[in-house]
Amino acid sequence: MPTPKKSTSGSKKPLAYGAVIVVAAGLLGFASYKATAPDSSSTDTSTAPAAEVSADPQAGIYPELAKLARRDTGDKLAVGRADAPVVLIEYADFKCGYCGKFARDTEPELIKEYVEDGTLRIEWRNFPIFGEESENAARGAWAAGQQDRFWEFHAAAYAEGAKEKGFGKDRVKALAQEAGVKDLSRFMKDLDGEAARAAVAKDQEQAYGIGATSTPSFLINGRPIAGAQPKETFTQAIETAAEQAKTAGKAGAGTTGDPAEGSEDTAKDSEGSAK
């Protein structure tokens, strides 16, 4: 069984978060290769490690990691309100079989249940670890996003049987066409451009920096979760984070008297239209 081919760009050194990075690295770094392998289809992902979601809302949560949420209203690779109380950051590779499983089976339900009501925001991070084709797909996803077609590309690339066809340049272009990218000439130019390479490298460095070594890896308001866990793992983490944010908001309002953050205009922000 081949070893995942990590990018050679950047230092891959952990971010300077102090002792917390050691814990996060342990939670995210020990998901097995079998749960991440691009050709894996029979392994039970429920055996991959996940951060425990306990009754204590503070347990397993690292504020330093929660700060990695960008909440950028111009982020083309995100869906949900920029001021949503919960942010799920996903580090994934399009050649990863279990990333596809999460994208097809779990993510649409999370979007329907939590993104649409304003509770959750999902921010994608390209984390290609399986070599050149992974890099092609990652840059293609970014390029599709520049024409507001990231989530459509995401759906096409994670469709059943898509990864088996590979992610050569021609195939990535075909996926962009399937996703409804209008200007394919611009898409191909963006695909090989420095901006795409820099954006993907930035996401990669963030993933390596928190200790992630396999895909998919997640952060939910600073709580690390490794592997395509059952939906219940995500719903419990999201609901716990939402309740904690609600409690923190009430406490803040009671001590400062300031209006709640986020106006009605920004509250309606929703980048992308995941399908």
Side-chain angles (χ1 to χ4, degrees), residues 214-233:
S214 62
T215 53
S217 291
F218 307 89
L219 295 175
I220 298 179
N221 277 20
R223 182 192 300 279
I225 293 178
Q229 300 293 327
K231 178 190 171 186
E232 291 71 22
T233 298

Side-chain angles (χ1 to χ4, degrees), residues 53-124:
V53 183
S54 73
D56 180 357
Q58 297 292 343
I61 296 174
Y62 305 95
E64 294 87 348
L65 301 183
K67 294 175 184 177
L68 294 177
R70 293 168 182 164
R71 296 185 179 275
D72 179 0
T73 58
D75 188 348
K76 303 289 189 178
L77 279 59
V79 62
R81 294 163 44 144
D83 65 345
V86 183
V87 178
L88 181 156
I89 303 174
E90 176 184 1
Y91 302 91
D93 184 319
F94 285 102
K95 283 181 69 67
C96 164
Y98 282 100
C99 297
K101 179 177 175 62
F102 174 79
R104 292 188 300 272
D105 299 345
T106 304
E107 196 164 37
E109 295 188 22
L110 297 182
I111 289 172
K112 183 177 181 179
E113 294 180 28
Y114 299 107
V115 173
E116 291 182 3
D117 74 359
T119 299
L120 179 68
R121 173 179 175 83
I122 298 176
E123 296 186 355
W124 170 272

